[in-house]
């Protein structure tokens, strides 16, 4: 977009924040919430506008730019980058809602952002002009800093004997409360608590988006936001929002490990004390392996996402083979990036076990991310195998 800053400026701003994010990483984990000054810095740097529609002050960059930006931030703090990714990616999802819903969110407050819980765990009933919803939604990252929530619901079918319809509803902050149940071993700083709507709450029809519409790339919002970015099928792109912080974590872990090797000498229980860590062959080999794993993960995702954007830009649809392959690569790249962190953490010795040491936090955060169902290799690989063997793939693609 003409009014958007060059991507290099946004990436430079992200790089400049990395030292601050590293300094606050321990505080972020201890507070189980990204500090307000960190979120303010993201907002002031324009990151939340990366994929927001131009007509609401956004830049309309694509997911390839998103990967670069979030990966850069994650070199400093995984949880902070994750919450930035949540805020940025949901601008894209809100852009798929009907035009009136977009105006509800951004007309008066263009910096408004949303959190989300996609699983349709809440109750919903159709009523005149909308739905009444209530219940409890878990794992809502960045909930403390969000103005709106995107919540998954199952709506009763309009026709008899028809299946229920899964949808996302957009709910303002005034309509829900936060239940703090986020006490975890990894990604503690994301503050992924629960949203509770205790009493049935009305949501108008224009704040409801069928999952099938956004999954197909034919959402109501794509009719008014004409950039092809908004016609990308959700599952062909959205998993990179969870993967990008992990890619950056692997990059950051390599940097931290190299710095450790440059300053640390072995103690040695009996002999060999005082040797520089970087002189040991196994240490050299582990750095090489971690860098190769991380590079492979990045190349997979950059290739796939560039192809997705190019296909949609040319007015074509993604094939089934492409969709399945992309889902495979989302999960496999996550596995590669996590292995890169594992390889390094296995070589840090006792010093790396200190809770103040960044590598142990990166290791816990990386292993937490790969447990997200969207990136879970067991779940995704079975679907891919079914497709390659000529069976009907069972899963989300």
């Amino acid at each position: 977009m003409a009014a958007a800053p060059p991507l290099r400026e946004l990436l430079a701003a992200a790089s400049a924040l990395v030292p601050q994010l590293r300094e606050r990483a321990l505080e972020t984990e201890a507070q189980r919430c990204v500090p307000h000054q960190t979120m303010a810095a993201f907002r002031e740097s324009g990151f939340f506008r990366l994929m927001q529609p131009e007509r609401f002050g956004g830049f309309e960059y694509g997911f390839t730019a998103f990967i670069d930006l979030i990966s850069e931030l994650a070199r400093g703090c995984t949880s902070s980058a994750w919450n930035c990714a949540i805020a940025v990616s949901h601008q894209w999802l809100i852009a798929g809602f009907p035009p009136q819903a977009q105006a509800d969110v951004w007309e008066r407050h263009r910096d408004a952002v949303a959190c989300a819980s996609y699983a349709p765990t809440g109750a919903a009933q159709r009523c005149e002009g909308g739905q009444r919803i209530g219940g409890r939604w878990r794992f809502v990252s960045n909930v403390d800093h969000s103005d709106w929530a995107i919540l998954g619901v199952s709506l009763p079918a309009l026709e008899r004997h028809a299946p229920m319809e899964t949808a996302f509803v957009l709910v303002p902050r005034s309509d829900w409360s936060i239940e703090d149940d986020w006490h975890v071993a990894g990604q503690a700083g994301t503050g992924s608590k629960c949203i509770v709507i205790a009493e049935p709450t009305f949501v108008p029809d224009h704040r409801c988006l069928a999952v099938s519409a956004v999954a197909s790339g034919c959402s109501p919002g794509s009719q008014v936001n004409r950039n092809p970015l908004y016609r990308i099928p959700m599952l062909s792109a959205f998993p990179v929002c969870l993967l990008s912080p992990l890619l950056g974590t692997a990059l950051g872990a390599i940097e931290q490990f190299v710095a450790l090797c440059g300053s640390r000498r072995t103690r040695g229980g009996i002999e060999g004390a005082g040797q520089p860590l970087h002189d040991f062959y196994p240490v050299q080999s582990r750095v090489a392996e971690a860098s190769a794993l991380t590079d492979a993960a990045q190349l997979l995702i950059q290739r796939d996402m560039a192809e997705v954007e190019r296909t949609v830009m040319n007015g074509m649809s993604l094939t089934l083979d492409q969709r399945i392959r992309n889902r495979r690569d989302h999960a496999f790249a996550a596995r590669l990036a996590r292995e890169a962190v594992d390889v390094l953490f296995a070589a840090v010795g006792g010093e790396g076990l200190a809770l103040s040491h960044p590598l142990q936090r990166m290791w816990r955060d990386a292993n937490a991310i790969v447990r997200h169902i969207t990136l879970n290799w067991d779940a995704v690989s079975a679907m891919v195998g079914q497709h390659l063997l000529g069976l009907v793939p069972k899963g989300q693609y």
Side-chain angles (χ1 to χ4, degrees):
M1 296 297 105
L7 181 59
R8 64 178 179 276
E9 291 184 7
L10 294 170
L11 295 178
S15 296
L17 285 173
V18 168
Q20 298 176 38
L21 298 180
R22 282 179 177 156
E23 289 176 5
R24 295 177 189 152
L26 187 59
E27 173 195 356
T28 299
E29 180 170 61
Q31 291 186 354
R32 297 180 299 112
C33 181
V34 175
H36 287 283
Q37 60 264 43
T38 296
M39 297 304 292
F42 293 161
R43 182 176 292 104
E44 290 164 8
S45 299
F47 299 160
F48 298 159
R49 299 195 177 201
L50 189 75
M51 295 197 292
Q52 190 174 4
E54 183 190 31
R55 61 200 187 94
F56 291 109
F59 305 153
E60 296 196 3
Y61 276 108
F63 285 94
T64 49
F66 175 98
I67 294 168
D68 291 343
L69 178 71
I70 300 302
S71 296
E72 185 65 18
L73 293 173
R75 289 174 45 234
C77 174
T78 310
S79 288
S80 297
W82 178 278
N83 278 13
C84 186
I86 293 297
V88 174
S89 61
H90 289 148
Q91 306 296 59
W92 177 88
L93 186 53
I94 293 170
F97 277 77
Q100 183 56 55
Q102 298 175 48
D104 290 350
V105 175
W106 291 318
E107 198 163 63
R108 295 182 180 178
H109 181 18
R110 295 199 168 188
D111 287 328
V113 296
C115 54
S117 179
Y118 304 137
T121 57
Q125 279 202 320
R126 296 185 187 274
C127 60
E128 185 176 353
Q131 301 81 33
R132 290 196 177 279
I133 69 166
R136 185 173 179 267
W137 290 261
R138 299 185 66 196
F139 307 119
V140 190
S141 299
N142 202 42
V143 65
D144 291 298
H145 301 289
S146 295
D147 307 286
W148 293 76
I150 300 167
L151 304 175
V153 296
S154 293
L155 297 175
L158 291 172
E159 298 180 7
R160 191 177 181 184
H161 303 308
M164 299 186 78
E165 179 182 40
T166 305
F168 299 136
V169 292
L170 194 55
V171 187
R173 178 66 186 86
S174 57
D175 287 355
W176 40 269
S177 60
I178 299 172
E179 179 183 313
D180 186 359
D181 65 341
W182 190 243
H183 302 275
V184 292
Q187 286 286 73
T190 64
S192 303
K193 304 163 187 173
C194 282
I195 277 181
V196 177
I197 299 179
E199 299 293 333
T201 299
F202 178 74
V203 178
D205 278 330
H206 71 264
R207 290 191 200 151
C208 183
L209 174 65
V211 171
S212 59
V214 71
S216 68
C218 299
S219 66
S222 67
Q223 306 306 307
V224 292
N225 299 315
R226 302 301 297 172
N227 191 318
L229 163 69
Y230 303 109
R231 296 201 301 273
I232 295 175
M234 183 177 181
L235 286 170
S236 293
F238 230 59
V240 305
C241 304
L242 311 180
L243 174 60
S244 297
L246 181 52
L247 295 176
T249 299
L251 292 171
I254 293 171
E255 293 171 353
Q256 294 286 349
F257 188 80
V258 168
L260 175 67
C261 291
S263 61
R264 185 178 170 192
R265 292 177 177 270
T266 60
R267 293 185 174 88
I270 299 175
E271 59 183 20
Q275 299 298 310
L277 198 60
H278 58 57
D279 284 349
F280 286 84
Y281 164 77
V283 169
Q284 298 161 358
S285 180
R286 285 180 183 276
V287 172
E289 183 179 358
S291 68
L293 288 164
T294 304
D295 204 27
Q298 289 180 300
L299 288 171
L300 273 178
I301 296 307
Q302 289 167 346
R303 178 201 68 179
D304 292 356
M305 203 63 251
E307 183 180 288
V308 167
E309 292 182 340
R310 187 166 55 247
T311 299
V312 176
M313 188 73 68
N314 290 329
M316 298 183 293
S317 299
L318 294 167
T319 65
L320 177 60
D321 285 343
Q322 285 175 305
R323 288 179 180 233
I324 295 288
R325 183 207 65 188
N326 290 349
R327 291 294 295 119
R328 178 201 70 187
D329 291 351
H330 296 149
F332 195 68
R335 179 176 169 180
L336 291 174
R338 187 260 299 162
E339 286 178 1
V341 181
D342 283 354
V343 162
L344 297 175
F345 185 63
V348 297
E351 184 174 321
L353 296 175
L355 292 177
S356 60
H357 200 288
L359 272 170
Q360 56 78 31
R361 186 182 313 109
M362 291 174 167
W363 177 73
R364 288 185 288 109
D365 288 346
N367 278 276
I369 291 175
V370 295
R371 279 158 177 74
H372 195 289
I373 187 60
T374 304
L375 302 177
N376 183 280
W377 176 248
D378 289 339
V380 175
S381 62
M383 175 183 69
V384 176
Q386 291 160 3
H387 176 65
L388 294 175
L389 292 169
L391 306 173
V392 177
K394 298 176 182 179
Q396 297 180 327
Y397 54 88

